[in-house]
Amino acid sequence: MLHLDGSTAAARLTFHSRQQLQQQHREHRLLLCLRRTGLGRLRGLAFRGRCGRCRLQLENELPAVMGDKVQLQQVILNLVMNAIEAMRSVQTRTLRIQSNQFKAGIVSVLVTDTGPGIDPSSLDQIFEPLFTTKSRGMGMGLSICRSIVEAHGGRIWVSSAPAGGSVFQIEIPTEESLAARGLDESPS
């Protein structure tokens, strides 16, 4: 049996993710990815008392991004499920998912919750392999999210929400911005 430490496993995942992206050469609109992620079902979770309110603010005319639809869905679902879990301990539960284009050539997705937030001392470690703040967590989910986002040429980070909770933000370059930089395919 082969044993890998967290950073080696994340590095291998990044390598394999990049290989898959290069092989697939598919364009996807992030908006469609968000809608197909099952966000409609998340509204059902909200009404069953698990989430509270679920607000979707998805911009209709986002530019295309080059990438793997399944991997992008995995990132978004992981962030959403983490947010729902984080809000279990609070009375007022609101999950907000936004997509937009704040900057030219970049599509942004924000996942905001009203949970207790992340301890400031943990913010620098939150995306590291095997780091977890959950009693039953493995510490791989956010590390994998970061690997996937970076394999798409993007970045991911977290900050504290002004009214409490957390804001996870993803930025992915558009297909047009990749073409302008002379990249015919997803970044490797």
Side-chain angles (χ1 to χ4, degrees):
M1 175 179 268
L2 178 64
H3 293 282
L4 301 173
D5 66 24
S7 59
T8 303
R12 284 190 179 184
L13 176 68
T14 300
F15 174 77
H16 291 295
S17 295
R18 287 180 181 162
Q19 277 187 325
Q20 286 177 331
L21 287 174
Q22 290 171 352
Q23 291 169 1
Q24 292 176 359
H25 303 293
R26 286 192 225 152
E27 169 194 326
H28 294 286
R29 295 201 178 274
L30 194 53
L31 177 65
L32 292 176
C33 176
L34 287 168
R35 292 210 167 123
R36 290 182 183 153
T37 300
L39 296 180
R41 288 185 293 228
L42 293 175
R43 288 180 188 248
L45 289 174
F47 292 117
R48 286 197 297 265
R50 294 174 116 182
C51 174
R53 282 193 266 167
C54 184
R55 295 182 181 169
L56 301 179
Q57 298 170 325
L58 307 179
E59 192 171 302
N60 285 322
E61 297 298 323
L62 288 176
V65 296
M66 186 72 77
D68 183 298
K69 172 181 70 174
V70 173
Q71 289 182 355
L72 293 172
Q73 287 174 342
Q74 179 183 352
V75 169
I76 294 162
L77 277 175
N78 187 55
L79 295 177
V80 166
M81 295 310 292
N82 283 351
I84 290 171
E85 189 173 335
M87 292 188 292
R88 286 184 182 163
S89 64
V90 298
Q91 283 293 91
T92 304
R93 300 176 186 139
T94 303
L95 171 65
R96 187 176 72 189
I97 303 160
Q98 289 178 268
S99 66
N100 51 51
Q101 187 177 10
F102 282 132
K103 303 176 195 171
I106 301 288
V107 173
S108 297
V109 177
L110 286 84
V111 177
T112 306
D113 67 63
T114 57
I118 299 169
D119 185 321
S121 66
S122 298
L123 288 174
D124 290 341
Q125 300 170 290
I126 202 76
F127 294 103
E128 294 299 319
L130 305 177
F131 179 82
T132 185
T133 59
K134 300 177 187 178
S135 61
R136 301 173 116 184
M138 291 177 47
M140 291 304 293
L142 291 175
S143 175
I144 291 169
C145 287
R146 180 180 63 184
S147 295
I148 291 170
V149 169
E150 288 177 354
H152 283 79
R155 63 188 197 115
I156 183 172
W157 70 94
V158 63
S159 58
S160 296
S166 300
V167 180
F168 281 84
Q169 186 165 344
I170 303 166
E171 290 184 343
I172 304 283
T174 64
E175 177 186 30
E176 186 176 290
S177 72
L178 292 175
R181 292 189 298 192
L183 301 173
D184 294 339
E185 55 195 52
S186 296
S188 55

